[in-house]
Amino acid sequence: MSRARRPRRTGLVVAAAAVALLAGCGPTQAAGPGEGDAPAQVAPGAEPGGRTPEGTLLVADFGGETVTFVDPEKGPVDTVEVGTAPYGLVVGEDGRAWVATAEGVAVVDTRKRERLALIPYETDSGPPATGEYRGGGMGIALAPDGEQVYVGVNVPGGNGVLETIDTRTREVTDTAPVGRRPFDVDVSRDGREVYATDHDSFDVTVVRADGEGEPRRIEVAPYGTEGGLGSWLKPHYAVVRPSDGKLLFPFEGERLVVVDPRTGASRIERMTANTHQHGATITDDGTLFVVGTGPIGSSDEDPSLTIRTKDGKERVVPLAGPHEDVAVSRDGRTAYVSGGFTRDGYWHGITIVDVPSGKTSRLTAGERPLGIAVL
């Protein structure tokens, strides 16, 4: 495979994880679109020109063209237009958010709450569209030094592309071929490798951040690949484990695939939620959070949030209806789960989980929110 490369800045370090989409998955038993909460409106008295407080949530409104700023106690306070059907987002230490939309990567100043730019993709992914299979950006990750952003671009009907953006010039500096529908993008702890989780090709593609060498494909298919494009049993999201840099892929609330990206070797650990799983994040102490979207078979359990300690002990917190992704407060005591499931059953809001007690509350916010971050 060939890859296009342009002059680029060096010095990548650790990167943060991103968000993304669902699966080529089957029907759900939950309520369909229009049956849940209506999209939340910006709260009366909100001050769009004010500074954004720390702890505010930012969600990508997959059902619209905006990101929504959310006070976790009061609800929505502002929206910013970013582009068609935003999926994943990531926020840097400088307060800029990078949002993967169907049209390009939007750059948002989260402190002033305004869009600074919309960077078009180098890859032709078709006209801007909406829905689960729409082309354009999906998973997205940012180097902590703020120098590069990596975005997985879905090309309907074909393999995807990983694009690298120089955050200073706001230009695409590199492209690399990856697999089909790159739901998630992550970066190694040392910043040397980028990982695209390729949903429809049952794999993760390893791309060197320095632009050298050819991308490497590692199959991640603990249930096999016989179902092809119609299979539910595909990788969706990954996290990079802080302790050793291995990739963790949750499957069906039954299996956690642990992949060594250097060798391609993998092993399987047991999970307990017994439900189809999507979004995942991990905290610095190694606690893994995984979103369960609900049953795909008659023996499966309802939606949930799995909270798994670094030694493998799990608590499963029930959720009301499908959700997509999860972010965790800086102190690790609160998890925020986005309700914008990419198939029928989504709702316009966020479930707030008190991690120590497992108690939950629902907050109407956003329009089919997918990607979520704590500012």
Side-chain angles (χ1 to χ4, degrees):
M1 295 184 292
S2 62
R3 56 185 294 187
R5 212 171 15 159
R6 296 167 179 77
R8 56 187 296 173
R9 302 170 68 190
T10 59
L12 274 180
V13 286
V14 196
V19 210
L21 178 126
L22 163 128
C25 302
T28 175
Q29 300 300 314
E35 298 177 34
D37 299 325
Q41 303 299 313
V42 173
E47 299 180 3
R51 304 290 286 186
T52 304
E54 184 176 337
T56 299
L57 307 177
L58 183 68
V59 297
D61 295 323
F62 181 58
E65 298 182 345
T66 58
V67 291
T68 297
F69 293 79
V70 183
D71 182 316
E73 295 183 357
K74 300 178 181 179
V77 296
D78 204 357
T79 61
V80 173
E81 185 172 335
V82 291
T84 304
Y87 262 68
L89 58 81
V90 64
V91 183
E93 292 295 330
D94 59 2
R96 285 181 295 171
W98 303 80
V99 187
T101 81
E103 301 176 51
V105 172
V107 188
V108 176
D109 183 330
T110 64
R111 293 167 180 159
K112 296 181 179 179
R113 301 200 292 275
E114 61 183 22
R115 192 181 83 175
L116 303 177
L118 181 64
I119 305 166
Y121 303 116
E122 290 275 325
T123 304
D124 182 3
S125 58
T130 61
E132 179 185 359
Y133 299 99
R134 68 103 169 107
M138 296 176 66
I140 190 166
L142 173 69
D145 62 6
E147 291 189 355
Q148 283 86 19
V149 168
Y150 302 98
V151 58
V153 180
N154 178 41
V155 179
N159 286 339
V161 175
L162 182 74
E163 297 200 358
T164 301
I165 295 171
D166 182 311
T167 60
R168 181 181 58 84
T169 64
R170 298 176 186 168
E171 295 179 347
V172 176
T173 60
D174 198 3
T175 63
V178 297
R180 298 174 69 103
R181 283 215 290 162
F183 264 51
D184 196 14
V185 175
D186 298 275
V187 183
S188 65
R189 302 287 290 180
D190 61 10
R192 294 181 180 179
E193 292 182 332
V194 185
Y195 310 118
T197 299
D198 308 316
H199 177 268
D200 283 357
S201 47
F202 297 88
D203 59 30
V204 58
T205 301
V206 182
V207 178
R208 282 181 52 170
D210 63 6
E212 301 299 326
E214 293 295 316
R216 292 186 291 117
R217 174 185 181 271
I218 301 173
E219 185 174 284
V220 187
Y223 296 89
T225 63
E226 289 77 9
L229 291 178
S231 173
W232 285 76
L233 306 176
K234 302 171 182 176
H236 294 79
Y237 296 80
V239 300
V240 178
R241 188 159 63 185
S243 60
D244 59 8
K246 291 183 178 178
L247 301 176
L248 308 182
F249 295 88
F251 280 82
E252 307 307 314
E254 297 175 337
R255 304 177 186 184
L256 182 69
V257 181
V258 182
V259 175
D260 186 335
R262 295 168 297 178
T263 65
S266 65
R267 61 185 178 85
I268 295 175
E269 298 179 4
R270 179 175 176 266
M271 298 189 77
T272 61
N274 189 31
T275 187
H276 190 61
Q277 289 177 316
H278 278 198
T281 192
I282 195 167
T283 58
D284 289 340
D285 67 359
T287 302
L288 175 66
F289 294 78
V290 185
V291 180
T293 69
I296 62 170
S298 59
S299 62
D300 294 341
E301 301 295 333
D302 290 333
S304 62
L305 178 69
T306 291
I307 304 172
R308 180 186 177 96
T309 63
K310 63 180 179 181
D311 58 2
K313 295 179 181 179
E314 291 189 350
R315 287 190 296 135
V316 179
V317 178
L319 299 175
H323 292 65
E324 184 67 22
D325 203 27
V326 58
V328 180
S329 62
R330 186 165 297 184
D331 62 9
R333 296 182 61 85
T334 309
Y336 304 99
V337 193
S338 61
F341 190 53
T342 50
R343 297 184 69 89
D344 290 356
Y346 64 82
W347 66 287
H348 304 295
I350 300 164
T351 293
I352 301 173
V353 180
D354 180 79
V355 173
S357 69
K359 293 181 179 179
T360 65
S361 60
R362 285 163 62 101
L363 180 68
T364 301
E367 186 172 355
R368 200 176 182 178
L370 288 188
I372 184 168
V374 182
L375 303 181

